[in-house]
Amino acid sequence: MIRHIFKLIWFKRKSNALMILEIFLAYLVLFAAFSFVIYQLRILEKPLGFKTIDRWMISLEGLQAKDSAEVATIMDQLKNELKASPNVESVGFTNSSTPFSNNTSTTGNDDMGFNVSSRIAEADEGFGEVMNINIIKGRWFNETDRQSKYRPIVVNELFLKNFFPNKNMLDSVIILDGESKIVGIMDDYRYKGEFDLPTNMSFCYTPHTQGWMYNIILRMKAGTPIGEQKTINDIVKNVTKSNSFIIKLLESEREKNSRAKWIPIIALLSICGFLCINIALGLFGVVWFNINKRRSEIGLRRALGAHSSDISKHFLMETLVLAFIAIALALIFTIQIPLLKVVDIQPSIFYESMVWVTVLILILVFICAYFPSRQAAMIHPATALHED
């Protein structure tokens, strides 16, 4: 039967070429879309590296113009009064590399004989607890680090994997933003959002009274009402003697950041859905048209004793064979991307995309060919031969 189907396809190659081309082009478009979506979802599966629920962030402004001693006094008083608030469990300070911000601070050098680079952020001893940062080895900063000979840093696993593979670097001194001692190793800290790629990340210890530690993260008690913002607002206002600050809820910031990334994904999936509908309508119309052109062939086969199920199976198999030809041609092109490493993305993403698109195309072709094939099987031989 398969041999007979291939002969029919060859004899009608000009009319079948359009169907093959339609499926081929649809496969390429769906492959590109699915690869992008799967790539983004793979990133989404990775841990964010910190908690956002019941975390509030205060961004201070206008302190840059003040004397450093005055700023230190303000920050120390602010920390004490915020910790004394009944709904505040802990307080942490950091610089501009705050969660869901677009700020990027990087450092790097080749002073150790090879290039070392990393995103870098400054944090005090309370920041790790506030953000619930997962320390895999070692520890987070503490107050004893103020007297350390080398500047304490906490790096993520990816940093060590890229620059010091298979080495125990805990308590080692490296040159990164000066001589720094690794006191802890953490999971990823993807502060730019859930769709941010994991990258080399380092935290340098800076007391809250020094540097540019103008962002405060509060870990609030579970279920703290939004009205508590007024209490926090009054504390900050009274201590800083200024209204130049903003209070944000990290969970709301996470949702806002995530929403901006989901929009293109949803739009792309919507376009794919619309494309699938157009493919289905086109395939249905082509199959239906081909069946109507071959009514005499159907009538003759029925008159010679072919069963209605044989007619249905024939047209269904013929359409599926055309689909397999188109998919095979598309796979020849798409498989080159992971094999030649055209894009710096895991090959498994492209292979997974190929599987999903192949299954989707075959399901669409089967549905679009099944109903016209069933209709062809119901054609009475006498009627078809009479019409011819």
Side-chain angles (χ1 to χ4, degrees), residues 199-303:
T199 187
N200 305 324
M201 186 70 206
S202 307
F203 273 105
C204 292
Y205 174 65
T206 303
H208 65 279
T209 55
Q210 299 178 13
W212 303 87
M213 308 292 280
Y214 297 146
N215 291 287
I216 309 169
I217 310 294
L218 307 179
R219 180 174 179 173
M220 311 299 294
K221 289 184 178 179
T224 300
I226 194 69
E228 183 66 15
Q229 278 197 14
K230 184 180 185 306
T231 303
I232 302 300
N233 183 85
D234 291 341
I235 292 174
V236 178
K237 182 179 179 181
N238 292 334
V239 173
T240 62
K241 303 296 189 293
S242 171
N243 289 316
S244 300
F245 59 89
I246 302 171
I247 301 176
K248 299 177 182 178
L249 275 63
L250 285 191
E251 179 62 14
S252 298
E253 293 299 305
R254 183 195 66 79
E255 292 175 354
K256 188 189 302 181
N257 178 276
S258 180
R259 194 180 304 121
K261 302 294 184 180
W262 274 110
I263 289 175
I265 293 177
I266 294 173
L268 191 58
L269 290 175
S270 300
I271 293 172
C272 288
F274 181 75
L275 177 62
C276 288
I277 293 173
N278 280 274
I279 295 170
L281 292 174
L283 288 174
F284 189 89
V286 170
V287 175
W288 188 265
F289 177 75
N290 287 338
I291 288 174
N292 283 330
K293 283 182 63 177
R294 298 165 65 178
R295 288 175 67 89
S296 59
E297 176 190 332
I298 295 169
L300 182 59
R301 291 188 62 186
R302 290 296 306 277

Side-chain angles (χ1 to χ4, degrees), residues 19-277:
M19 184 184 295
I20 292 174
L21 181 62
E22 179 184 9
I23 297 174
F24 172 80
L25 294 176
Y27 191 101
L28 296 181
V29 174
L30 290 173
F31 169 76
F34 274 51
S35 296
F36 173 78
V37 172
I38 292 172
Y39 174 69
Q40 295 295 329
L41 293 180
R42 287 281 182 88
I43 297 174
L44 188 63
E45 291 174 355
K46 298 180 183 297
L48 190 59
F50 57 91
K51 300 293 184 181
T52 58
I53 297 176
D54 297 319
R55 269 70 172 182
W56 296 4
M57 181 173 68
I58 306 169
S59 296
L60 302 176
E61 299 174 3
L63 295 181
Q64 292 86 345
K66 296 181 180 293
D67 179 76
S68 59
E70 183 182 0
V71 171
T73 302
I74 291 173
M75 300 299 271
D76 202 41
Q77 181 183 353
L78 190 56
K79 180 178 181 179
N80 292 332
E81 293 200 19
L82 287 171
K83 288 181 71 174
S85 180
N87 285 303
V88 177
E89 292 187 339
S90 54
V91 181
F93 288 71
T94 186
N95 65 344
S96 58
S97 299
T98 54
F100 314 113
S101 69
N102 290 320
N103 296 322
T104 302
S105 179
T106 60
T107 186
N109 59 72
D110 57 359
D111 295 337
M112 292 184 290
F114 55 92
N115 288 321
V116 177
S117 62
S118 173
R119 283 183 185 173
I120 193 166
E122 298 180 38
D124 73 340
E125 58 270 15
F127 187 79
E129 178 188 355
V130 170
M131 300 302 289
N132 199 29
I133 292 176
N134 183 29
I135 301 296
I136 301 170
K137 292 181 181 179
R139 60 175 176 82
W140 187 257
F141 309 125
N142 57 45
E143 291 188 356
T144 63
D145 290 321
R146 297 191 181 191
Q147 309 302 323
S148 177
K149 178 180 177 181
Y150 302 104
R151 190 178 190 184
I153 61 171
V154 174
V155 299
N156 65 346
E157 274 192 308
L158 185 61
F159 177 89
L160 296 180
K161 180 180 178 181
N162 287 336
F163 302 119
F164 305 98
N166 303 318
K167 292 182 181 179
N168 182 14
M169 298 301 295
L170 195 62
D171 294 326
S172 298
V173 176
I174 64 173
I175 301 176
L176 185 72
D177 195 30
E179 291 186 321
S180 303
K181 182 179 180 179
I182 300 175
V183 299
I185 302 167
M186 64 177 180
D187 274 339
D188 288 321
Y189 177 74
R190 298 190 296 134
Y191 68 91
K192 288 194 174 185
E194 295 169 305
F195 291 93
D196 183 31
L197 280 171
T199 187
N200 305 324
M201 186 70 206
S202 307
F203 273 105
C204 292
Y205 174 65
T206 303
H208 65 279
T209 55
Q210 299 178 13
W212 303 87
M213 308 292 280
Y214 297 146
N215 291 287
I216 309 169
I217 310 294
L218 307 179
R219 180 174 179 173
M220 311 299 294
K221 289 184 178 179
T224 300
I226 194 69
E228 183 66 15
Q229 278 197 14
K230 184 180 185 306
T231 303
I232 302 300
N233 183 85
D234 291 341
I235 292 174
V236 178
K237 182 179 179 181
N238 292 334
V239 173
T240 62
K241 303 296 189 293
S242 171
N243 289 316
S244 300
F245 59 89
I246 302 171
I247 301 176
K248 299 177 182 178
L249 275 63
L250 285 191
E251 179 62 14
S252 298
E253 293 299 305
R254 183 195 66 79
E255 292 175 354
K256 188 189 302 181
N257 178 276
S258 180
R259 194 180 304 121
K261 302 294 184 180
W262 274 110
I263 289 175
I265 293 177
I266 294 173
L268 191 58
L269 290 175
S270 300
I271 293 172
C272 288
F274 181 75
L275 177 62
C276 288
I277 293 173

